[in-house]
Amino acid sequence: MTRRQLGSAFLVGVLLLVGGNGLVVLAERTVPSGLAALMVASVPLWVVLLRRAFGTRTGGATLAGVLVGLVGLLVLTAPGLTGEVGLSGLLLVVAAAVVWALGSVLAGRLPMPADPFVASVYEMLAGAVGALVLSVARGEPGDFDPGAVSAGSWTGLVYLVLFGSIVAFTSYAWLLQRAPLPLVATYAYVNPVVAVFLGWIFLSEALTWPILLGGAIVVGGVFLVARSEH
């Protein structure tokens, strides 16, 4: 592995895990998990816009799907505009989606390690270092008390390490190097729908009309984009 490949893996890891996941974590202090998941579903739309910015030609049907999805995002931000949810949190989720999309696009354009599993290791290492630096800058280590963490939180952390990182993120890193990006982005059909109903069932999160309508519009826009890009 060359230094350029290592540097690319670290850059992509920081974008995906610190900028993408990290901003979502901060946002979910005020944004319901289901709503956050629906907004993150806009990643394929930002991917199309970023690829276009890098010179990739885009068809009319794809752009139409992007416009539909952006309308859905406007509907999803309605709770922030009405004061029901912190607007700053919603904007953080949008920023997270844009940064995650940027990391995904660069992963296919930069010189990455040939083995995608090796790439995912260095990406997660970069994400860990970046998140640690960010936590120190926010003064979080001084307030951390392991004894105050509930058993449910420790269980959730173990679940995220095993399934969220080792299984899911490694699979995503592998797909970024082995499959067309529009095809990889189709995970956005399933994740938000599952997240909305899990939040409703287990966390009693409200299913308001902006969430249902905006979510349906975003997923519809993503469907149009992926269909036209195949």
Side-chain angles (χ1 to χ4, degrees):
M1 182 170 55
T2 67
R3 290 184 178 181
R4 288 190 63 191
Q5 291 173 328
L6 180 61
S8 297
F10 265 72
L11 174 61
V12 170
V14 169
L15 290 173
L16 293 178
L17 297 173
V18 182
N21 286 355
L23 290 180
V24 170
V25 169
L26 291 177
E28 285 192 339
R29 295 176 300 168
T30 58
V31 178
S33 63
L35 177 56
L38 288 171
M39 299 186 75
V40 170
S42 66
V43 163
L45 311 179
W46 300 115
V47 165
V48 170
L49 293 178
L50 288 169
R51 292 177 68 197
R52 186 176 177 86
F54 282 116
T56 301
R57 297 186 63 181
T58 306
T62 300
L63 290 178
V66 171
L67 291 176
V68 169
L70 293 180
V71 170
L73 276 181
L74 290 176
V75 176
L76 286 175
T77 56
L81 299 177
T82 59
E84 298 174 20
V85 179
L87 184 58
S88 60
L90 294 174
L91 294 178
L92 273 180
V93 179
V94 173
V98 174
V99 176
W100 180 278
L102 177 60
S104 300
V105 171
L106 291 180
R109 302 179 67 90
L110 295 176
M112 299 290 290
D115 189 327
F117 296 107
V118 172
S120 70
V121 169
Y122 285 107
E123 287 167 13
M124 285 190 279
L125 178 61
V129 173
L132 180 61
V133 171
L134 184 60
S135 70
V136 171
R138 288 173 46 84
E140 294 177 353
D143 299 327
F144 178 61
D145 179 10
V149 181
S150 67
S153 294
W154 286 120
T155 303
L157 177 61
V158 171
Y159 174 85
L160 289 174
V161 169
L162 294 177
F163 296 99
S165 296
I166 296 177
V167 176
F169 183 77
T170 301
S171 299
Y172 188 76
W174 182 86
L175 283 168
L176 285 176
Q177 296 193 38
R178 294 293 186 271
L181 187 54
L183 179 62
V184 177
T186 56
Y187 75 91
Y189 300 158
V190 181
N191 283 13
V193 177
V194 173
V196 165
F197 283 99
L198 288 179
W200 174 57
I201 293 171
F202 293 105
L203 300 177
S204 300
E205 294 179 352
L207 293 180
T208 62
W209 74 264
I211 291 177
L212 294 175
L213 177 61
I217 295 174
V218 168
V219 173
V222 172
F223 173 78
L224 290 175
V225 167
R227 184 178 181 181
S228 62
E229 286 284 291
H230 281 176

